[in-house]
Amino acid sequence: MKKVKGSDFFCGELFPESTSVEKTEALPNTYDWGDLFERLSQSRFRSKFRLTTKEIVYLKEKGEDTIARHAADFIRKRLAPAVIPNDGKQTPMRGHPVFIAQHATGCCCRGCFEKWHRIPAGRELTDEEQHYAVAVVMEWIKRQLGE
């Protein structure tokens, strides 16, 4: 298991054995969020996203591990495929804290993911790239919770 710097978020626990995504040992030990979150804060659209009380209660009820599994599942199904028929419209704007975090961090569609994270569209995301996307989403959620 690899710990993401400054959190209790373990990358090795994201993709349970029951998913088709294989675990990888090639994950970085830490991510430098400084530049990314600075750039996101400069975006009028990205910086307007906030968690509501309802979503915060949901996060606390479910716990970090469950939310990370939800994020991994959403990323695997909605962001990772090489071809997404409804790309740009596959992530709802509300309904789950992870959806809000995906929009806030540019992990909502392959076009935004390429723009904000410089990971090209048109090919399936690697396991490492999926772990990275989940780590970004979870970091945003933790920042919203004030951790």
Side-chain angles (χ1 to χ4, degrees):
M1 282 185 283
K2 303 218 186 246
K3 187 173 178 181
V4 175
K5 183 180 179 182
S7 75
D8 293 324
F9 174 68
F10 290 94
C11 295
E13 300 295 321
L14 284 180
F15 298 103
E17 298 298 323
S18 63
T19 68
S20 63
V21 177
E22 295 179 21
K23 293 179 183 178
T24 179
E25 293 300 316
L27 296 174
N29 287 324
T30 62
Y31 296 105
D32 180 7
W33 301 123
D35 178 59
L36 173 64
F37 282 95
E38 176 61 29
R39 288 186 297 116
L40 290 167
S41 74
Q42 301 303 311
S43 167
R44 212 180 196 91
F45 178 73
R46 304 283 165 206
S47 63
K48 75 178 180 179
F49 289 96
R50 298 280 183 267
L51 295 176
T52 66
T53 302
K54 178 182 174 184
E55 290 143 0
I56 291 169
V57 167
Y58 180 82
L59 286 166
K60 290 182 179 183
E61 285 175 356
K62 296 295 180 185
E64 184 178 344
D65 290 342
T66 298
I67 298 302
R69 281 193 299 276
H70 291 175
D73 188 51
F74 295 151
I75 296 296
R76 181 175 51 82
K77 291 177 180 174
R78 297 171 183 252
L79 190 66
V83 177
I84 303 167
N86 60 338
D87 194 31
K89 297 180 176 140
Q90 75 267 36
T91 305
M93 297 290 266
R94 58 186 169 274
H96 196 286
V98 171
F99 295 153
I100 296 163
Q102 284 182 266
H103 286 291
T105 60
C107 295
C108 47
C109 69
R110 290 304 289 272
C112 293
F113 201 55
E114 184 170 18
K115 174 183 177 180
W116 289 98
H117 304 279
R118 299 176 185 98
I119 296 175
R123 64 164 176 79
E124 188 170 340
L125 294 179
T126 66
D127 292 347
E128 185 174 352
E129 290 164 342
Q130 290 180 57
H131 281 274
Y132 166 78
V134 173
V136 170
V137 165
M138 294 304 294
E139 177 65 19
W140 184 86
I141 288 171
K142 287 177 186 176
R143 287 175 181 229
Q144 285 290 295
L145 294 175
E147 295 180 8

